Amino acid sequence: MQTLPTLFVSHGAPTFALEPGLAGAKLTALGRRLPCPQAVLVVSPHWMTRQAQATLSLRPETIHDFGGFDPALYTLQYPAEGAHLAARRALELLQAAGLSVTPNADRGLDHGAWVPLMHLYPEADIPVFQVSLPEWLDADGAYGYGRALAPLADEGVLIVGSGSLTHNLYEFRLGDPHAEAYAAEFAHWVRDAVLAGDHLRLRQALAIAPHARRAHPTAEHYLPLLVAAGAAAQAVPASVIEGGIVHGVLSMDSFLFGTDLAVMQGADANKALPH
């Protein structure tokens, strides 16, 4: 079985579900290009727990874990099936890496999962499960978490870290088209590290990157990037899925690890892979 690449996706605000902007169409195109996975694993900062958990629901509910937005957002559903066998395998791998684990049969998909998946796999035809983000993880721990989950990429599971390349909600301005320079500078610094395959620099970003504390007053939306990077079979090639900056401060760039997207598109320019 072909080893799948891993993906970090910036999920932005919940409004991304209704306002795809630059990133939405590019994620849809990516979903059509990638080899069809047997399941999608999502690690999101909107599910943080003391112990590692995984969702075992056969039909996970769509959780509307946000408030104050367009009422239309609360009517959206992402009716994908669950993937309980893959979820149990994820727990086995994490336990083998020395972590305490707990299955969760009741929890659905938070917006860090279903909002970007509405663009990546809009037909909701790929089974989905989530693995929680332990609240005690630091940068190296998040990277190691990804390394522990890496064998799943050899078993038909697309590993997705869903977060935000920049995430300063103190400066969030809904609908503001002006991009703050500091957010762009931080995003470019991280992009350079990704394309260079410099995962050490990625793990150190919140300490050494320009404007890191302003771009991420807290770390939880950056850590899924490190999970995706750690789960990758190889640091390079890597690709950028450009999404621009929305709401003034949220970079919507995403990264694909282990595949050169330009080469993939060139080799298969006129054919989409079926799901």
Side-chain angles (χ1 to χ4, degrees):
M1 181 176 293
Q2 179 181 358
T3 299
L4 291 173
T6 65
L7 177 65
F8 167 74
V9 60
S10 290
H11 63 247
T15 51
F16 182 38
L18 295 174
E19 302 168 0
L22 294 174
K26 291 184 178 182
L27 287 177
T28 301
L30 176 64
R32 292 171 177 162
R33 291 290 175 195
L34 290 174
C36 185
Q38 295 183 13
V40 177
L41 179 167
V42 182
V43 175
S44 159
H46 299 287
W47 188 27
M48 299 185 71
T49 57
R50 290 181 62 84
Q51 295 182 328
Q53 297 187 32
T55 59
L56 301 182
S57 173
L58 296 179
R59 181 70 70 172
E61 67 172 321
T62 303
I63 304 173
H64 299 90
D65 52 338
F66 45 79
F69 291 98
D70 185 335
L73 280 172
Y74 303 90
T75 69
L76 297 179
Q77 298 292 316
Y78 191 77
E81 295 182 357
H84 68 283
L85 293 179
R88 290 191 181 279
R89 172 67 172 145
L91 292 175
E92 291 175 358
L93 291 169
L94 292 171
Q95 189 170 43
L99 281 76
S100 298
V101 301
T102 305
N104 189 316
D106 301 318
R107 195 179 188 281
L109 303 177
D110 64 55
H111 80 272
W114 66 263
V115 167
L117 287 177
M118 288 192 78
H119 301 295
L120 185 65
Y121 295 118
E123 301 301 319
D125 54 351
I126 308 296
V128 180
F129 69 102
Q130 286 194 241
V131 171
S132 68
L133 188 68
E135 57 193 20
W136 46 265
L137 287 181
D138 58 9
D140 288 338
Y143 191 84
Y145 201 64
R147 295 304 306 146
L149 293 168
L152 291 170
D154 294 324
E155 300 169 12
V157 177
L158 178 65
I159 300 170
V160 179
S162 175
S164 189
L165 188 52
T166 57
H167 192 258
N168 187 336
L169 295 188
Y170 301 108
E171 300 184 33
F172 178 88
R173 302 185 300 276
L174 185 65
D176 189 341
H178 172 71
E180 289 285 347
Y182 82 86
E185 188 173 349
F186 177 88
H188 282 296
W189 189 96
V190 173
R191 176 191 299 203
D192 288 344
V194 168
L195 292 178
D198 193 340
H199 287 192
L200 176 59
R201 192 150 51 114
L202 286 181
R203 300 200 301 275
Q204 296 174 336
L206 295 185
I208 67 174
H211 315 294
R213 292 296 296 273
R214 190 177 178 189
H216 286 280
T218 55
E220 75 285 341
H221 274 73
Y222 183 79
L223 296 180
L225 188 159
L226 298 177
V227 174
Q234 51 193 14
V236 289
S239 303
V240 179
I241 299 96
E242 295 189 15
I245 293 177
V246 299
H247 309 306
V249 295
L250 297 183
S251 171
M252 295 296 292
D253 286 352
S254 299
F255 303 118
L256 189 67
F257 295 94
T259 296
D260 187 327
L261 188 55
V263 172
M264 180 191 300
Q265 291 171 334
D268 193 24
N270 298 307
K271 185 174 73 172
L273 296 175
H275 292 160

